[in-house]
Amino acid sequence: QALRQISQRTISTASRRQFENRVPENQKLFQEDNGLPVHLKGGAKDALLYRTTAGLTVCGTIYALYYLLMSSMPKKPN
């Protein structure tokens, strides 16, 4: 019972951060007509994430096609 009281007290008295509402800022940013696609409007982090994803997709496609080609070739007898 003592453990339960301690755990409830810890949870209930934990410091609660007050997060400011940044939705209006983000709406302005993403609705701005600056010629950028929506997946790049977040800045450098979005661009890095996009390029990494695109690179991994291209590498994975090449890898899959290579092994598809290798598995379709008959093996040479020894």
Side-chain angles (χ1 to χ4, degrees):
Q1 175 139 358
L3 181 61
R4 196 170 107 193
Q5 286 178 343
I6 291 171
S7 66
Q8 285 177 344
R9 192 177 316 135
T10 304
I11 292 170
S12 66
T13 61
S15 65
R16 294 185 183 141
R17 295 180 186 157
Q18 293 296 322
F19 292 107
E20 59 183 271
N21 185 6
R22 293 176 39 195
V23 172
E25 294 173 26
N26 287 334
Q27 283 176 335
K28 284 180 188 174
L29 173 70
F30 285 99
Q31 290 176 356
E32 184 180 324
D33 188 16
N34 57 4
L36 288 175
V38 72
H39 58 274
L40 296 177
K41 285 191 177 189
K45 279 171 51 175
D46 280 354
L48 180 65
L49 184 61
Y50 173 74
R51 288 190 181 116
T52 302
T53 304
L56 287 172
T57 302
V58 169
C59 291
T61 303
I62 292 169
Y63 180 77
L65 291 174
Y66 172 76
Y67 276 96
L68 184 63
L69 179 68
M70 290 298 111
S71 62
S72 68
M73 301 281 186
K75 290 187 176 182
K76 295 179 184 175
N78 289 336

